[in-house]
Amino acid sequence: MGFEKFGHKSFTSLTKVDAFVAGLENKELKYTKCRSCGKTYFPPRADCCGCLGNDMEWIKIDGTGNLLSYTRVNYAPTGFEKDVPYTLALVDFNGIKVFGRLSSAIAKEETMVVMQLKTQVVNLPNGQITYEFIKPS
Amino acid sequence: MGFEKFGHKSFTSLTKVDAFVAGLENKELKYTKCRSCGKTYFPPRADCCGCLGNDMEWIKIDGTGNLLSYTRVNYAPTGFEKDVPYTLALVDFNGIKVFGRLSSAIAKEETMVVMQLKTQVVNLPNGQITYEFIKPS
Amino acid sequence: MSKEDVAIIGVGQSAFVRGYQGSIRELAFEAYREAMQDAGISSVDIDASIICSAPEYDNQRSPAGIIAEYLGLNPQPTFAVESVCSSSTTGIKIGYSMIKSELHDIVIILGFQKMSKISSADSQERMGRGADILWESPFGTMMPAYYAMHARAHFAGYGSTEKDLAMIRVKSSKYGILNEKAVYRKEVKLDDALNAGLVAGPLKKFDCCANADGASCIIMASNAKAREITKKPVWIMGLGSATATMTMSGRDALNGLASARVAAKNAYAMAKVTPRDIDVAEVHDCFTIAEMMAYENLGFAEPGKGMELIRAGETYIGGKIPVNVDGGLLSKGHPIGATGGSQVRTIVQQLRGEAGAIQVPGAAIGLVHNIGGVGVYGNVIILGR
Amino acid sequence: MSKEDVAIIGVGQSAFVRGYQGSIRELAFEAYREAMQDAGISSVDIDASIICSAPEYDNQRSPAGIIAEYLGLNPQPTFAVESVCSSSTTGIKIGYSMIKSELHDIVIILGFQKMSKISSADSQERMGRGADILWESPFGTMMPAYYAMHARAHFAGYGSTEKDLAMIRVKSSKYGILNEKAVYRKEVKLDDALNAGLVAGPLKKFDCCANADGASCIIMASNAKAREITKKPVWIMGLGSATATMTMSGRDALNGLASARVAAKNAYAMAKVTPRDIDVAEVHDCFTIAEMMAYENLGFAEPGKGMELIRAGETYIGGKIPVNVDGGLLSKGHPIGATGGSQVRTIVQQLRGEAGAIQVPGAAIGLVHNIGGVGVYGNVIILGR
Ligand SMILES: [Zn+2]
Ligand SMILES: [Zn+2]
């Protein structure tokens, strides 16, 4: 329990990696790394498909990443209608690729592939918690 | 459209055999018979899997049938809770087997396999229409 | 002499539990890890995965994709298979065909179900919508009701009784206590079973298996790969699958399951064995009456004589044909998509001589009977060492 | 010279429409009837059925059971297969393996979807839950958005443009007008496509296919049965299937679909042909960018050179490699489970020389490219006469 707090709208409450939400509550976005074989995972995982182990270390995603691609959506699935328009993006932090939304503070005109971005935790008005991509200050 | 009127609770509104509901509204329980090959169907069908035809005749189920099996349920799936207990039954009308509920007027003690039954159309308080099995008068 | 085209080289199962505290991908991994460690291979050795479950119990759609990813099985092909409660033995059949046809060498069959997110009534509603939603669900159908109608027909036709069914549950509980992965591990005495509340007459509480969360994983390989990887391959000797109409109106009789009868006939024919050659069997006892019908539909007893087997104790270890000596669905619980794989795992352990406290001495040929819906789908698999 | 192990002996398709006025069993029957009449066989000749669709669009659960019953296919085995939008080509692969492995001689692959019962937003919600519900759906994902991200990456990496995508839609509409079973049969001019409203930038209205209700049916047979039944068998020469991670985080790049690339490589290897040998292709153009990526992932063009094919008109009839000359998903509509079977039907008609106004003269080898999700599942099938 606890994972239902993650995201603009949650679809599930149970996962063994709900420590991710605790991380967000500490303003940290984290990935996991297998202590046995060193394989890294984002999205974070409880189990390592490389060595079948399940001893994971949580590590913070720091610094800036570059925008791999994005789209600004004018229509939304059920439950997200009021958010429209919003921009979905995939950002590469030195090999750790993170999917999420771009901050609405970034103008449509300045959004472009390869622009530099960092992550920021966001507490939503509905009590949910998420992260978004912002411009480095 | 129209098929959503059938049954204690409906799960679907569209079928090519919604004439079945019109039949019930005329107090008749009907099956279909393929005009090309003579194959009969209950539940009624729009298409004949015997000859691939789709020219069907509607025929009334008349007379008495015999009870093949039944069960009185004390629990119900979502949407049927208020009906509990009710008795589900399969009745054979001279080769046409019909699934439905036994009238609550039939006492638990007198219910038995091979008892004789006939069908009766029932208008439910919620506006739905169905049929049930009753004792021949 | 077994056919030796396709073998099972690894088996795994999660614990079957009431409320699994994780996601479906994590649940699936528990069975996968055990099967992979059993086979001693790694994800790059696997050529394809087949993911077996019934939909609408979890919000994740198209689970094959996310599970294959979590297991590290990209870019190998994957897809989902469903025949409700028999999904994972349908997966076994497809796995066999993919290996025998030389499309793939090593295939995993991953069955799972997480049912605890929804209420029991909602679960019955879903199972109810696994019947004909035009012509039967509108009357308020559910699985216990359908099987109860089969029980009533069996009683009326053959003279079997509520006590016969209760005896099946007593056997189940005896072995369920020994199964660390079972959800229900308490003793059930004959009187407990007979005096329990009616669910759908004549079936009472202990005649019904419990919902559970669980996963199973079976790894299959071609002869060449199996010989290379394991010293104890278990061979697929026979496969039979059949169906009956979903509507009760289309059935000839309710005192047995025609799909199981046809599937058994086909499996025996392919394996070139008879019911008397089976040393140990896992049958689909979602309800006690289902085990009773299985005795007859599989040819362990003549039609109407199944009750004699349980009355004489012949389906216990030491009897003519030990059935469900791992506790069956009645004790293990029934996580729909995982169930068939769990049955196969038990038989594989039996044929390898690794079944511990429930080992049937010298078991060489085993049978799995896995039913989807109320006999809509029937799969029978014969395994040999 | 084709492999001649497994043939397609009958094809059928319902009209693809906005709101089908019947149940899924009746919809399925429309495709079945046409395929059965095409093959000239009856239900007793069929050994097994494979039912392909994505769940949660209709209240009927376990549709394989009720559809097999309605088609008159009891007691033969049936089961459901799902890989979302590529479900029915996954069914074709399974059908092939069941015949090649000698489990069955004649198998039907029935794909269907009835999407009109739910709203467009609900439909996107379901497709959204076909993405990772833990890590992506919570951001409000949907299919157009994912493909839009691929389009943006393709533009950025290769210099392709919105106009290139619009040209793909213009081609689609030219052929869609000729297809009596297509849901969208109006002309789309280049300016219409370029000036339409944005759905998910850079994809606009005409870059997206429409939901539709529909069914398709493919009948497959062993060599012996095919020779007996038909004078125009179409052979399965090559099958390739692959996956990519469901999460975008796991992908190397978004300017193509890795699953399609691997599936194509495997299919060409099995068929022992190269992209240059393909006379006509059906590719999965759920969005215009998907067709653009398919040109490259299938090897019809080098990576980044797909735009040259459409600019030069090489994917029209008369060009180097005619693609989607039946209008594709963009014009026909995309009833998820039915789509792959519809693509196969078109290629079979082409190879038989029965494609009428859209016949590619002399077509001898054809290819089907069918994608599930955003490249999570990729199936490539090569057919020969
Ligand atoms: Zn590791
Ligand atoms: Zn007929």
Side-chain angles (χ1 to χ4, degrees):
Chain A
M1 299 293 280
F3 197 73
E4 69 281 359
K5 273 201 73 178
F6 173 60
H8 295 263
K9 173 183 169 182
S10 175
F11 293 89
T12 192
S13 59
L14 288 172
T15 168
K16 292 181 177 176
V17 288
D18 52 8
F20 180 77
V21 174
L24 289 183
E25 283 166 346
N26 289 327
K27 306 285 174 207
E28 296 184 329
L29 183 66
K30 292 179 172 180
Y31 65 96
T32 58
K33 182 178 178 181
C34 176
R35 286 205 176 89
S36 312
C37 76
K39 209 164 144 67
T40 60
Y41 294 102
F42 190 91
R45 295 187 182 203
D47 305 290
C48 179
C49 61
C51 71
L52 302 176
N54 58 359
D55 184 12
M56 290 284 178
E57 180 181 4
W58 287 89
I59 302 173
K60 191 180 167 188
I61 295 173
D62 251 331
T64 62
N66 70 299
L67 181 57
L68 293 175
S69 195
Y70 67 96
T71 182
R72 190 162 183 268
V73 303
N74 289 331
Y75 296 90
T78 303
F80 297 92
E81 298 87 341
K82 63 175 189 347
D83 296 358
V84 164
Y86 52 88
T87 300
L88 296 165
L90 185 65
V91 180
D92 183 357
F93 292 88
N94 206 13
I96 302 278
K97 298 190 197 87
V98 182
F99 187 91
R101 284 195 197 170
L102 227 55
S103 164
S104 58
I106 301 175
K108 182 164 73 158
E109 295 67 27
E110 59 179 327
T111 309
M112 62 173 63
V113 169
V114 308
M115 76 184 289
Q116 293 296 297
L117 294 163
K118 57 178 205 165
T119 65
Q120 169 175 278
V121 171
V122 182
N123 289 288
L124 297 167
N126 61 1
Q128 293 290 101
I129 192 163
T130 189
Y131 58 83
E132 63 178 19
F133 304 116
I134 60 170
K135 284 196 289 183
S137 46
Chain B
M1 296 292 280
F3 197 74
E4 69 280 0
K5 272 201 73 178
F6 172 59
H8 296 263
K9 173 183 168 181
S10 176
F11 292 89
T12 191
S13 60
L14 288 172
T15 167
K16 292 182 178 176
V17 287
D18 53 7
F20 180 76
V21 174
L24 289 183
E25 283 166 346
N26 289 328
K27 305 287 176 205
E28 296 185 329
L29 183 65
K30 293 180 171 177
Y31 65 95
T32 56
K33 182 177 177 182
C34 175
R35 286 205 175 89
S36 311
C37 76
K39 210 165 145 64
T40 60
Y41 295 101
F42 190 90
R45 295 187 181 203
D47 305 289
C48 179
C49 61
C51 71
L52 303 175
N54 59 359
D55 184 12
M56 290 284 178
E57 179 181 5
W58 287 89
I59 302 173
K60 192 180 166 188
I61 295 173
D62 250 330
T64 62
N66 71 300
L67 180 57
L68 293 175
S69 194
Y70 67 96
T71 182
R72 190 163 182 267
V73 304
N74 288 331
Y75 297 90
T78 303
F80 297 91
E81 298 88 343
K82 65 175 189 344
D83 296 359
V84 163
Y86 52 88
T87 301
L88 297 165
L90 185 66
V91 181
D92 183 357
F93 293 88
N94 207 12
I96 302 277
K97 300 192 197 86
V98 182
F99 187 91
R101 284 195 197 171
L102 227 55
S103 165
S104 56
I106 302 175
K108 182 165 73 160
E109 295 69 27
E110 59 178 328
T111 309
M112 61 172 64
V113 170
V114 308
M115 75 185 289
Q116 293 297 297
L117 294 163
K118 57 178 206 166
T119 65
Q120 170 176 276
V121 171
V122 182
N123 289 287
L124 297 167
N126 62 3
Q128 293 289 102
I129 192 164
T130 188
Y131 58 84
E132 63 179 18
F133 304 115
I134 59 171
K135 286 196 289 183
S137 46
Chain C
M1 190 55 202
S2 304
K3 277 181 184 283
E4 298 190 349
D5 293 324
V6 178
I8 293 172
I9 62 165
V11 296
Q13 187 196 313
S14 76
F16 286 0
V17 297
R18 279 274 175 215
Y20 180 73
Q21 296 299 303
S23 62
I24 56 171
R25 65 193 74 175
E26 292 155 347
L27 178 58
F29 201 90
E30 299 204 10
Y32 176 72
R33 175 187 283 125
E34 197 173 284
M36 292 294 280
Q37 288 171 340
D38 184 39
I41 60 174
S42 69
S43 63
V44 293
D45 299 317
I46 294 171
D47 297 311
S49 56
I50 303 177
I51 311 296
C52 313
S53 74
E56 296 193 45
Y57 292 101
D58 189 88
N59 271 331
Q60 181 68 59
R61 289 181 71 240
S62 211
I66 202 69
I67 287 176
E69 174 176 351
Y70 198 75
L71 305 183
L73 297 179
N74 301 119
Q76 300 98 309
T78 191
F79 53 87
V81 168
E82 182 264 321
S83 60
V84 248
C85 324
S86 61
S87 295
S88 47
T89 49
T90 296
I92 298 266
K93 175 176 166 173
I94 299 172
Y96 171 92
S97 75
M98 289 192 164
I99 292 168
K100 180 87 195 293
S101 66
E102 300 182 354
L103 286 179
H104 299 300
D105 285 327
I106 301 184
V107 177
I108 72 156
I109 319 300
L110 192 302
F112 78 92
Q113 210 78 52
K114 184 156 170 253
M115 307 177 71
S116 59
K117 282 288 284 182
I118 58 173
S119 71
S120 176
D122 279 354
S123 171
Q124 288 303 337
E125 191 264 355
R126 277 163 183 71
M127 292 307 285
R129 289 194 288 106
D132 184 343
I133 65 163
L134 266 69
W135 303 103
E136 295 190 358
S137 309
F139 292 102
T141 59
M142 54 179 191
M143 297 298 284
Y146 282 117
Y147 271 100
M149 290 174 73
H150 283 74
R152 187 84 69 195
H154 198 273
F155 290 4
Y158 298 132
S160 52
T161 66
E162 297 182 27
K163 189 178 165 195
D164 294 326
L165 299 187
M167 289 173 75
I168 286 174
R169 179 61 196 238
V170 169
K171 172 173 71 69
S172 165
S173 87
K174 173 178 169 158
Y175 295 119
I177 291 167
L178 303 173
N179 188 339
E180 287 180 5
K181 299 203 171 187
V183 71
Y184 197 91
R185 302 186 62 194
K186 288 180 234 162
E187 187 180 2
V188 178
K189 295 190 174 137
L190 194 65
D191 281 350
D192 299 336
L194 282 170
N195 297 329
L198 279 169
V199 174
L203 298 183
K204 296 175 287 293
K205 180 187 162 192
F206 288 112
D207 291 305
C208 310
C209 71
N211 288 345
D213 297 344
S216 62
C217 185
I218 305 296
I219 306 177
M220 302 174 74
S222 61
N223 181 302
K225 288 284 182 185
R227 294 286 182 202
E228 197 179 291
I229 292 166
T230 181
K231 290 206 163 62
K232 292 184 174 182
V234 168
W235 304 99
I236 307 281
M237 297 175 66
L239 291 168
S241 296
T243 56
T245 60
M246 194 172 250
T247 55
M248 295 300 110
S249 296
R251 309 247 177 134
D252 285 336
L254 300 187
N255 54 15
L257 298 179
S259 63
R261 223 176 278 127
V262 176
K265 183 171 153 266
N266 293 342
Y268 288 130
M270 178 172 162
K272 300 194 173 71
V273 299
T274 72
R276 284 176 301 282
D277 298 314
I278 306 300
D279 298 312
V280 57
E282 283 281 295
V283 312
H284 192 89
D285 60 333
C286 48
F287 298 92
T288 49
I289 180 63
E291 179 165 327
M292 175 69 81
M293 293 191 293
Y295 294 164
E296 300 169 9
N297 299 156
L298 293 169
F300 299 152
E302 294 293 304
K305 304 289 186 189
M307 54 201 177
E308 295 175 9
L309 281 183
I310 187 68
R311 287 175 190 172
E314 296 289 9
T315 50
Y316 280 79
I317 295 172
K320 273 188 206 162
I321 171 67
V323 171
N324 290 356
V325 296
D326 64 354
L329 284 57
L330 288 165
S331 295
K332 289 192 295 182
H334 179 21
I336 306 176
T339 293
S342 169
Q343 295 177 301
V344 169
R345 170 178 172 270
T346 293
I347 296 297
V348 166
Q349 291 177 331
Q350 288 280 351
L351 301 187
R352 286 179 183 168
E354 297 174 352
I358 58 162
Q359 182 66 48
V360 172
I365 298 179
L367 178 147
V368 170
H369 158 276
N370 187 200
I371 300 295
V374 189
V376 176
Y377 313 100
N379 292 328
V380 174
I381 300 176
I382 298 172
L383 299 168
R385 63 175 192 215
Chain D
M1 191 57 201
S2 305
K3 278 182 184 283
E4 299 190 350
D5 294 323
V6 178
I8 292 171
I9 62 165
V11 295
Q13 187 197 313
S14 76
F16 286 0
V17 297
R18 279 278 171 209
Y20 179 73
Q21 295 299 303
S23 62
I24 58 170
R25 66 193 74 176
E26 292 155 349
L27 177 59
F29 202 91
E30 299 203 12
Y32 176 72
R33 174 187 284 125
E34 196 173 285
M36 292 293 280
Q37 289 171 339
D38 183 40
I41 60 174
S42 69
S43 63
V44 293
D45 299 317
I46 294 171
D47 297 310
S49 56
I50 303 176
I51 311 296
C52 313
S53 73
E56 296 193 45
Y57 291 101
D58 190 86
N59 271 331
Q60 181 68 60
R61 289 181 71 239
S62 212
I66 201 68
I67 287 176
E69 174 176 351
Y70 197 76
L71 305 184
L73 298 178
N74 302 120
Q76 300 98 308
T78 191
F79 54 86
V81 168
E82 183 263 320
S83 60
V84 250
C85 325
S86 60
S87 296
S88 48
T89 49
T90 296
I92 298 267
K93 175 176 168 175
I94 298 172
Y96 171 92
S97 75
M98 289 194 162
I99 293 167
K100 180 86 195 293
S101 66
E102 300 182 356
L103 286 179
H104 300 300
D105 285 327
I106 301 184
V107 177
I108 73 156
I109 318 301
L110 192 302
F112 78 91
Q113 210 77 50
K114 186 158 168 250
M115 308 178 73
S116 59
K117 281 288 283 182
I118 58 176
S119 71
S120 176
D122 280 355
S123 171
Q124 288 302 337
E125 192 264 355
R126 277 163 182 70
M127 292 307 286
R129 288 194 288 107
D132 184 343
I133 65 162
L134 267 68
W135 304 104
E136 295 190 1
S137 309
F139 291 103
T141 59
M142 53 177 192
M143 297 298 284
Y146 283 118
Y147 271 101
M149 290 174 72
H150 283 75
R152 187 84 69 195
H154 198 275
F155 290 4
Y158 299 132
S160 51
T161 65
E162 297 182 28
K163 188 178 166 195
D164 293 326
L165 300 187
M167 288 172 76
I168 286 174
R169 179 62 196 239
V170 168
K171 171 172 72 69
S172 165
S173 88
K174 172 179 169 159
Y175 296 118
I177 291 167
L178 304 173
N179 188 337
E180 286 180 5
K181 298 202 171 187
V183 71
Y184 197 93
R185 301 186 63 195
K186 287 180 235 163
E187 187 180 2
V188 178
K189 295 193 173 135
L190 195 64
D191 281 349
D192 298 336
L194 283 170
N195 296 329
L198 279 168
V199 173
L203 298 183
K204 297 175 286 292
K205 180 186 162 193
F206 288 112
D207 290 305
C208 310
C209 71
N211 289 345
D213 297 344
S216 61
C217 184
I218 305 296
I219 306 176
M220 302 174 73
S222 62
N223 181 304
K225 287 285 183 186
R227 295 287 183 202
E228 197 178 290
I229 292 166
T230 181
K231 290 208 163 64
K232 290 185 174 181
V234 168
W235 304 100
I236 307 280
M237 297 175 67
L239 291 168
S241 296
T243 56
T245 60
M246 196 172 247
T247 56
M248 294 302 109
S249 296
R251 310 246 176 134
D252 286 335
L254 300 188
N255 54 16
L257 298 179
S259 63
R261 223 176 279 127
V262 176
K265 183 171 153 264
N266 293 343
Y268 288 130
M270 178 172 163
K272 300 193 173 71
V273 300
T274 72
R276 282 176 303 281
D277 297 315
I278 305 300
D279 298 313
V280 57
E282 283 280 295
V283 312
H284 193 87
D285 59 333
C286 48
F287 298 92
T288 49
I289 180 64
E291 178 165 327
M292 174 70 80
M293 293 191 293
Y295 293 164
E296 300 168 9
N297 300 155
L298 294 169
F300 298 154
E302 294 293 306
K305 304 289 186 190
M307 55 201 177
E308 294 175 9
L309 281 183
I310 187 67
R311 288 176 190 172
E314 296 289 6
T315 50
Y316 280 81
I317 295 172
K320 272 189 205 159
I321 171 67
V323 171
N324 291 355
V325 296
D326 65 354
L329 284 57
L330 287 166
S331 295
K332 289 192 295 182
H334 179 21
I336 306 176
T339 294
S342 169
Q343 295 178 301
V344 170
R345 171 178 171 269
T346 292
I347 295 297
V348 166
Q349 292 177 331
Q350 287 282 351
L351 302 187
R352 287 178 182 168
E354 296 173 353
I358 59 162
Q359 181 67 48
V360 171
I365 299 180
L367 178 148
V368 170
H369 158 278
N370 187 201
I371 300 295
V374 189
V376 176
Y377 314 101
N379 292 328
V380 174
I381 300 176
I382 298 172
L383 299 168
R385 62 173 193 218

